[in-house]
Amino acid sequence: MRASIVKVLLWGYAAFSMTPLLVMLLSSFRPTSEIFDRPIGPPSGLGNYVKAWTEASFSTYVVNSALVVVGAVLLGAVVSLLAAYPLGRREFRGRGMFAAYFVSGMTLPAHLGVLPLFYLLEGMGLVDSLTGLVLVYAAGSVPFNVFVLTAFFRQLPHELDEAAALDGAGPFATFWHVMLPLVRPALATVVVFQFVPIWNDFFYPLVLMRDETKLTLPVGLTHFFGQFQNDWGTLFAGLVMTTIPLVVLFVLATRQIVAGLTAGMNR
C-alpha cells in the first residue's frame, strides 16, 4: 500500500513538473495571436520552427553548439580515459601526486582564470574560434572525468589483467578489449555530465567569441530573445529546439547513467 502511494505521488509530481514543458511544446506550434487568445489549444503548424530556423539564424547556432559539444566531450573523454587507466590499474612512483593534481583541478573556480586563458588563446590565434572553445571545454572536463573513471578502473578485478596477459594481450589490447567495455556505464555518466553544462554554457562563448556566425545557442538565444521578444510562438519554438538534444540524450543514456552512478554500491 505504501509503495503504491509513493508511486502515485511521484507520478503526480512528474506530471506537475512536465506541465510547463508541455505548454511550451504545444505553444511552439501555434501563432502568437492564438496563444494570447487561448493559452491552451491544439497545434496548428510548423511555421514557428521554420521562422526560428531560417530568420533567427537558429540553424547556425545549433550547428555551432553541436560541433563544440561533440568535439569537447569526445576529446575530453579520450584524454581522461588515457589518464585514468594507468592511475586506476597500475602501481608507479608518483601515482598519488598525479591523482591529487587532477583532483585539484576541481577545487578552483575555472572562471577565475579567464583573463590568462584569454591571453593564452589570443597568443595562439584561437580567440573567436570554435577550435579554441572546444579546447577550453575539453580541458575543463578532464579533472572530473579522471576522478570518476579512475574510481571505476580501480573497482575492476585484477584477475582480468592476468587473464588477458595469459591470452597474449598487451597493455593496449587489454585496455581496448577488456577494460573499456566494462567502464562503459562510467563513460556514459561523464559524457552526460559534461554534455549538459557545455551545451548550456553562456560564459565562455560570450567572452571568447566575436563573430555572430560562430555563436553557440546560449549566447545566440540572447540575440534571439531581443529580436523576437513579442513573437511568443517563435520564442517557444526556439526553446524547444534548444531543449530537445538534452531530452534525447537523457532518454538514450538513462540506463547507462543509473548503472554508472550505482556501480559498486553492492560490492
Side-chain angles (χ1 to χ4, degrees):
M1 182 64 181
R2 182 179 297 178
S4 300
I5 295 176
V6 171
K7 288 182 180 179
V8 170
L9 291 176
L10 289 176
W11 278 109
Y13 176 75
F16 177 77
S17 302
M18 292 297 292
T19 299
L21 296 178
L22 181 61
V23 172
M24 180 181 72
L25 178 62
L26 293 176
S27 299
S28 68
F29 294 98
R30 305 173 63 211
T32 302
S33 57
E34 291 186 11
I35 295 175
F36 281 104
D37 292 338
R38 291 181 300 161
I40 304 297
S44 58
L46 296 174
N48 292 329
Y49 286 90
V50 175
K51 187 175 183 180
W53 189 260
T54 55
E55 296 183 23
S57 302
F58 239 80
S59 56
T60 301
Y61 302 149
V62 170
V63 171
N64 291 342
S65 288
L67 290 175
V68 169
V69 172
V70 172
V73 169
L74 289 179
L75 180 59
V78 170
V79 173
S80 301
L81 279 170
L82 296 178
Y85 179 63
L87 288 175
R89 304 299 297 176
R90 296 288 185 267
E91 295 286 346
F92 58 90
R93 185 185 300 273
R95 186 178 72 163
M97 181 184 65
F98 281 108
Y101 172 75
F102 283 109
V103 172
S104 67
M106 297 188 294
T107 62
L108 297 176
H111 294 170
L112 291 179
V114 66
L115 189 58
L117 176 63
F118 180 86
Y119 286 132
L120 174 63
L121 292 178
E122 186 178 35
M124 300 171 63
L126 293 177
V127 172
D128 199 21
S129 167
L130 295 180
T131 302
L133 209 54
V134 168
L135 294 177
V136 169
Y137 286 134
S141 68
V142 167
F144 174 80
N145 293 353
V146 171
F147 176 75
V148 174
L149 293 172
T150 299
F152 274 81
F153 277 121
R154 285 177 179 170
Q155 292 177 359
L156 300 178
H158 287 280
E159 290 78 8
L160 294 174
D161 299 270
E162 299 173 1
L166 290 174
D167 288 337
F172 180 79
T174 302
F175 165 76
W176 184 258
H177 295 290
V178 179
M179 300 299 171
L180 189 58
L182 293 176
V183 297
R184 191 177 300 166
L187 190 58
T189 301
V190 298
V191 165
V192 172
F193 273 74
Q194 296 306 314
F195 185 100
V196 175
I198 294 175
W199 182 267
N200 293 327
D201 184 62
F202 179 83
F203 181 76
Y204 284 120
L206 178 67
V207 172
L208 299 177
M209 309 306 288
R210 298 291 181 269
D211 189 349
E212 188 172 352
T213 62
K214 298 179 181 179
L215 295 180
T216 56
L217 270 173
V219 179
L221 280 175
T222 60
H223 295 213
F224 177 65
F225 288 149
Q227 185 179 359
F228 293 91
Q229 57 183 340
N230 297 321
D231 191 346
W232 283 41
T234 305
L235 287 177
F236 283 134
L239 291 174
V240 170
M241 285 190 288
T242 305
T243 308
I244 283 177
L246 301 179
V247 175
V248 172
L249 178 67
F250 274 104
V251 169
L252 295 178
T254 295
R255 183 174 299 179
Q256 296 290 337
I257 295 172
V258 173
L261 293 177
T262 58
M265 293 181 62
N266 298 321
R267 291 177 185 270

